[in-house]
Amino acid sequence: MTKVYGTGTYDFRRHRVAEYPLESKAVELSQKPGGGGGISSTITLSEIQRDRITKIAEANWLKTGDAAAEAKKNPFDAELVRKIYETELVVKEGQKPVPLQRVMILEVSQYLENYLWPNFDPQRATFEHVMSIILMVNEKFRENVAAWGCFYDRKDVFKGFLERVLRLKEGRELSIAEKTNYLVFMINAFQSLEDEVVSMTVLRLASLKSWYSLSYGRFQMELCLNPGLIKKWKRMVRKESVKGGQQLDPSTTPEVMFLRNLIEEFLEVVFPRRQLSGEDDELIDASGLGLANDACILYCERFMEFLIDLLSQLPTRRYLRPLVADVAVVAKCHLSTLYRHEKGKLFAQLVDLLQFYEGFEINDHTGTQLTDHEVLEFHYSRLQSFQLHAFKKMDKLRELALTNIGSIHKRADLSKKLSVLSPEDLRDLVCCKLKLVSMEDPWSERVDFLIEVMVSFFEKQQSQKEAINALPLYPNEQIMWDESVVPSINYSGEGCLALPKLNLQFLTLHDYLLRNFNLFRLESTYEIREDIQEAIPHLLAYINNDGETAFRGWSRMGVPIKEFKISEVKQPNIGEVKPSSVTAEVTFSISSYRAQIRSEWNALKEHDVLFLLSIRPSFEPLSAEEEGKASVPQKLGLQYVRGCEIIEIRDEEGTLMNDFSGKIKRDEWKPPKGDLRTITVALDTAQYHMDVTNIAEKGGEDVYGTFNVLMRRKPKENNFKAILESIRDLMNEYCIVPKWLENIFLGYGDPSAAQWTNMPDLLETVDFKDTFIDADHLKGSFVDYEVSFVNPDGTENLNPRPPFKIKLPRMLKGSGGALNGSAVSTAGAVNGIGMVDGNNQKERLIIETYTPPDPGPYPQDQPKQNSVRFTSTQVEAIISGIQPGLTMVVGPPGTGKTDTAVQILNVLYHNCPSQRTLIITHSNQALNDLFEKIMQRDVPARYLLRLGQGEQELATDLDFSRQGRVNAMLVRRLELLSEVARLAMSLQLPEDVGYTCETAGYFWLLHVYSRWEQFLAACAGNKDKPTFVRDRFPFKEFFSDTPHLVFTGESFEKDMRAAMGCFCHLKTMFQELEECRAFELLKSTADRANYLMTKQAKIVAMTCTHAALKRKDFLQLGFKYDNLLMEESAQILEIETFIPMLLQRQEDGHARLKRCILIGDHHQLPPVVKNMAFQKYSHMDQSLFTRFVRLGIPYIELNAQGRARPSIAKLYNWRYRNLGDLPYVKEASVFHKANAGFAYDYQLVDVPDYLGKGETTPSPWFYQNEGEAEYIVSVYIYMRLLGYPANKISILTTYNGQKLLIRDIINRRCVPYDFIGPPSKVATVDKFQGQQNDFILLSLVRTRFVGHLRDVRRLVVAMSRARLGLYVFCRRSLFEQCYELQPTFQLLLQRPDHLALNMSEITSYTERGVEDAEPRHHIHLVSGIEEMSSIIDRLYQEKSRHQSVQNGSYFSHSAPSNTDVVQSRQQTVANGMPEEADDMDIPDESEDAEKVDNHIAGDLPPESNIEDVTMVDSSASVPNGSPTP
């Protein structure tokens, strides 16, 4: 590690791997008193197996599958539960509420599932039994695994358990750690309201009954403000008295006093032994070291989190907010010492967040958002009535009563005016007249408390809109290193944070946007912080002899600034205080960079975001002690960070570079001159105003005179500002979600309200075009109906052929969709509605068949046809998608999501030709897959448009970008005008009618259409003459060049149909010309492109990032669309799903959006969130799709996969409700043949320690396993020597560290030999989501803890990438124990755990069937890595001999053996490879790995697969061309 003098050593390695930290915690817990042998932080599997808990588990509850062993298990013993609780789970001292290592071992041993819960009896269970269950549930939430699943088998008992939890504190004093654990359990319960079992009990605690605990004054005030509740209250009281028979005291019931008691308990902790005299409390003594320890502070923080959760969800907020206000929790917290103490920083932030939600701008009882005007009116009327009261009744407040409102609604002014009252008068005013606090509250005698209550009640609150508009969009150094807001990566889930949460429900759209704005801003802050920490140390800053900062080193992403000056500060806009714009000029030199990095700096363009840094290192290097205490900015010498956006960039001669505005014509462009670059940047005006105010008022330093480093970021990761601006713009608009979607979006109302069967304006008759291949296909799709086919005239059709029109009944059987989130489906009918009528007769479904009109005589006139035989579930999804409303389609791996989406678009285009559809995907690759398939359907290319950077990757000859489409329209115009001239010549008319689109339009009306009408009139009377059409057709000469004779003269009807086809061709031609006319009139490229996007294109596709970046441009251009289809929607951040719904302005106050189709799979990996705290604490990785599933919104789950062998599909299909296989994977020969050289099509290979090591971590979070890496590469070489094509093999792993290690080994062992070369891809499982390959070699890396594979979604992705062969390399003893992964690993472990090879096969061709039982002597079990290496050597020699016998020596190199591995090992460490390598593929990836959603028929090239390769052949076996390092 380089010593960075002047800044101390700082580890600037970057750790991208987001994983729940399982073993780096609780180092101090390594030896617990009475803990049964404590376990250090580097806990290993063998230590777990030796641990006392594990031994107790084996004797009492661990299931082994052995019936005899199960019978010997000890019966349930409550004393054992008590003993385990007291010795293992109780914390005697320290901050942490639980001994984490002990809880983890108990949870892994299935203590809850196998012992605590099966033996729980609500009547007899002890306190320790209940607390143990609470701790296990909390641990499951912390680990982010399903927590309530095991309770489902005894739902009634679970209600009893929750009752016990509510009464847990009766007659017992809990320790502070137990109180904290109890609170965490309640937080988790209130965060699980979608779970019926939980919500039924916990929502009782938030009912109207809780108002029995309000003070009388507050109770009266609340009923006066909400008169509608008076009836409800009386009804409830009547019901209670009837139910009880005798008069019961309501305050004895747990639901009435639950929150009140908790609040009082909390106040006891914050203000221990408080005498009501007003002196400081004793929570923290003068030295700042707690008398009450850190555990109390954690409890206080958790309690604030609990209250915030209650007030930020409408079902709990409605009746509990008055309780929080009644006790004046916020005011009391403001007066506590903890609020002001440095240890209470997080507590203070949480109190402020609670205050924000307590005063949130919403009507609690109707759920409607209050506008700014309504909030202001309410504030003024409240102050006015107070002034009136003061004028009438209180002489001392006469001055306050007569002053204007503007001078008393600020905190300081109001406090001053109230200070004239005596304590008695003030108490009387607050408690008796205004009834803000109860007289019985002991706090009512404190003057500072009473004034605080008054001020917080009457002061003017800043509106959300004002707050968000005043917030800088770029982070600064203060927020960047605030651990309570932007925590470091190793967040363990034990504490809470001052962050909003994204859960099921939101109060209003503003609340939704605000939470997302804050989280997205902080997530981007975290990423920027990581970039700064990586870039700065490379510069090697020091103080030179002049006392100024200088730099010895260089950094790719950061460059020293030569000059910085503010060039312009514009006047503020009316009504604002911040300047309207601030621009500056930054000059820097790129002379020290080599060509590639120079080109990166030269590529900066308008709207790119840069960061200005001020570095001032300490003169002397920091001592070890100083360094231990120093913050990260102090270690780096970092003073200030400010963001800015590029306006323009100029070279040394002042010439504009990278101009996209058209100022410089393309042919005038010259390469940039010199080494100096001057960038004009726009600074953040809000931040500038704050900085200038700080200089003026507090004499702060001028930040803008200190900048000395300019930092850039990777363009792909640097689009946060545009997304934040989009969210801020949305908050400033009147919101805008369609009415039919709004309630569902916020998480309220009937989950199925937006389903098509409940929507108005349905399409009654739908023309399904080419959806159905034949009549049998249609019948198979509607098995619940008796299908009858009729002709357009109503007569029965006995020989029906597509296309079909269907009149859809509103309640279509088997399609009421969908499953709702918590339903369990059975095969066949999916949640069918009214499946069979009273007479057990099937209902009739009338299908109209029709003969489509002849499209024209030329081959290009024929429409493209769909060849996919959709399953009945896919048809159900297509029907739902073409109807208005919300459609959700869950597409398990390989079930044809893309084909279903494309067919929805196709049918929608033909049934609603005037409507426009927007397609959004997460990745460019998915968008291109979708687009390539749309082009194979009957949708004209001129109506398709692809926006964003990925269009150049489209595998097509046509250019679908805006510029490409404009050019295509201009080329097409010329083609069509020449056709018009030819038509004019054929009619003996002048050719100049084809001069412009306008003249062609007149020609159509005057000459073409008139002739056609005359011809039709003549035909009417001559239908009996078979040759009449052939003789009299007016355009016969024009169609003389068709490939086939148009008119035969055999029958009038046949020729008339052909004539109609010819006229259809002409009509289409002139219609296209009319569409080209705008491109003729508009002269500039930009105008033409904008016209194309806003008027011409019917299907517009882009990524979610592009939509967020360009929202402002779309609104300015008047972009409109009716339908939104979103692919990969379970992989898109919630806010990035929301923005594409709002890329258009309102029409008369109504949203134009009619359909929203979300397609995704919530059982695969969620959106990527790099910071663990935002992922785990704030649920930021929850997509909108997943939230809708949790809310119980009906969805359609595709149920037939066509990707993998049925045997491989079994490894993951247990995760889905009813996932079967398509006939294709059962019938195609490629799925029946075995994998040559391997005994099995899938296998788990147990890899022991290699050279004495299992997993290693060269740096934190950077896991590697050399044994698995070498083994996997050896198996890859074995496959290549057999003749498997390299582009059919991908190597996957679960960690970045392992990925880089495998790439190193491949570069050493495979790349130098052209007959081996690199595989298609080496990638992490997370990055490979959405892709597939025939053969997958998978390394699971870990040997101590399971790590993040415990997330079942990652397991599903890992198991579902392979089509023909999957070989998993891992430590068997670790993974077979994991509860969540059992269904997969039980299947894997039915086969030997040593790699089984078939040594009789030495080519990649075999006739052996995949199920064939081979003679045992052919199967060889490989003992380990060394033996695999010798097998490769033998195979290589054998192949060489075989080859030389046939055609001379073939292999020119020596074999890529493993014998030199030990000597030349290159251990890849975290910073050993440039960041760019992170996502690189070894070969070019675009043509290699086949992508996920290819439906089934198109999945494999017919008979061109591996079985055709009979021997190793140099040209065939290295399809990637020359290997790249």
Side-chain angles (χ1 to χ4, degrees), residues 333-367:
C333 289
H334 279 156
L335 295 172
S336 70
T337 310
L338 183 59
Y339 184 81
R340 301 186 298 277
H341 196 277
E342 62 178 22
K343 275 193 170 186
K345 186 179 177 188
L346 172 57
F347 175 73
Q349 289 170 326
L350 288 161
V351 171
D352 294 343
L353 195 55
L354 176 64
Q355 185 178 17
F356 169 74
Y357 274 111
E358 193 186 327
F360 196 84
E361 301 156 2
I362 185 176
N363 180 325
D364 291 345
H365 296 283
T366 61

Side-chain angles (χ1 to χ4, degrees), residues 53 106 125 240 248 479 489 505 1071 1122 1141 1165 1334 1389 1448:
I53 293 179
L106 273 170
E240 286 293 315
L248 286 171
I479 192 174
I489 194 165
Q505 299 169 319
Q1071 186 185 336
D1122 304 88
M1141 296 179 183
L1165 284 165
D1334 286 358
L1389 293 169

Side-chain angles (χ1 to χ4, degrees), residues 934-947:
I934 294 171
M935 287 153 50
Q936 294 161 17
R937 296 290 196 276
D938 185 23
V939 179
R942 65 181 186 276
Y943 292 142
L944 303 176
L945 176 63
R946 162 80 166 83
L947 299 178

Side-chain angles (χ1 to χ4, degrees), residues 804-1070:
F804 303 116
K805 284 184 183 174
I806 306 178
K807 187 169 184 181
L808 295 169
R810 181 175 275 276
M811 299 308 276
L812 190 67
K813 291 176 183 173
S815 103
L819 306 153
N820 82 27
S822 52
V824 178
S825 90
T826 52
V830 186
N831 188 22
I833 297 177
M835 290 312 295
V836 183
D837 64 17
N839 302 323
N840 280 344
Q841 284 186 340
K842 287 185 177 179
E843 204 178 306
R844 251 180 113 213
L845 186 68
I846 310 262
I847 313 290
E848 183 189 318
T849 63
Y850 69 98
T851 307
D854 188 328
Y858 295 102
Q860 64 266 29
D861 292 332
Q862 300 306 312
K864 296 171 184 166
Q865 293 293 318
N866 157 54
S867 59
V868 176
R869 197 175 188 91
F870 293 108
T871 66
S872 57
T873 319
Q874 286 175 313
V875 169
E876 195 178 313
I878 292 165
I879 291 170
S880 179
I882 57 183
Q883 295 288 12
L886 174 67
T887 297
M888 295 204 6
V889 181
V890 173
T895 49
K897 294 190 285 284
T898 309
D899 282 298
T900 307
V902 165
Q903 196 60 23
I904 290 172
L905 294 168
N906 186 19
V907 177
L908 205 47
Y909 164 74
H910 287 288
N911 284 273
C912 311
S914 62
Q915 292 187 8
R916 311 182 72 227
T917 302
L918 175 65
I919 302 174
I920 298 285
T921 67
H922 171 60
S923 64
N924 277 310
Q925 183 56 54
L927 198 53
N928 292 342
D929 283 351
L930 199 63
F931 224 73
E932 282 160 24
K933 290 196 173 183
I934 294 171
M935 287 153 50
Q936 294 161 17
R937 296 290 196 276
D938 185 23
V939 179
R942 65 181 186 276
Y943 292 142
L944 303 176
L945 176 63
R946 162 80 166 83
L947 299 178
Q949 296 302 307
E951 69 265 3
Q952 56 265 38
E953 296 161 17
L954 269 171
T956 164
D957 300 334
L958 303 174
D959 184 352
F960 285 93
S961 66
R962 270 194 285 190
Q963 190 57 53
R965 288 293 84 208
V966 168
N967 293 340
M969 289 302 285
L970 296 173
V971 169
R972 184 67 179 147
R973 170 182 166 271
L974 295 175
E975 289 172 3
L976 291 169
L977 288 175
S978 67
E979 284 290 282
V980 170
R982 189 166 75 82
L983 177 61
M985 281 174 63
S986 73
L987 298 175
Q988 277 84 46
L989 291 167
E991 291 177 44
D992 60 3
V993 294
Y995 182 60
T996 65
C997 296
E998 187 178 8
T999 55
Y1002 296 138
F1003 172 60
W1004 160 258
L1005 281 173
L1006 295 173
H1007 297 287
V1008 181
Y1009 196 65
S1010 58
R1011 279 176 166 76
W1012 174 251
E1013 285 184 320
Q1014 288 167 7
F1015 168 68
L1016 287 182
C1019 286
N1022 291 285
K1023 290 185 179 176
D1024 52 342
K1025 299 178 183 173
T1027 61
F1028 183 81
V1029 175
R1030 187 183 65 186
D1031 299 340
R1032 297 289 296 275
F1033 184 64
F1035 313 112
K1036 194 161 57 173
E1037 191 182 333
F1038 177 76
F1039 289 104
S1040 59
D1041 61 344
T1042 55
H1044 303 290
L1045 195 62
V1046 180
F1047 304 110
T1048 59
E1050 291 170 9
S1051 82
F1052 178 87
E1053 287 76 18
K1054 200 172 174 186
D1055 280 2
M1056 191 62 198
R1057 176 172 161 76
M1060 297 289 256
C1062 290
F1063 181 70
C1064 181
H1065 175 87
L1066 291 175
K1067 192 174 170 186
T1068 306
M1069 192 170 89
F1070 282 98

Side-chain angles (χ1 to χ4, degrees), residues 127 168-176 178-179 265:
F127 167 84
L168 193 63
K169 298 183 179 183
E170 291 177 5
R172 183 179 179 118
E173 182 61 35
L174 271 60
S175 70
I176 197 75
E178 287 171 336
K179 286 176 182 173
E265 184 179 84

Side-chain angles (χ1 to χ4, degrees), residues 52 71 117-118 149 228 363 473 492 538 651 726 749 813 1000 1202 1254 1300 1330 1431:
R52 196 175 84 183
W117 181 242
N363 180 325
L473 291 178
S492 66
H538 292 290
D651 65 10
S726 292
K813 291 176 183 173
L1300 296 179
I1431 289 171

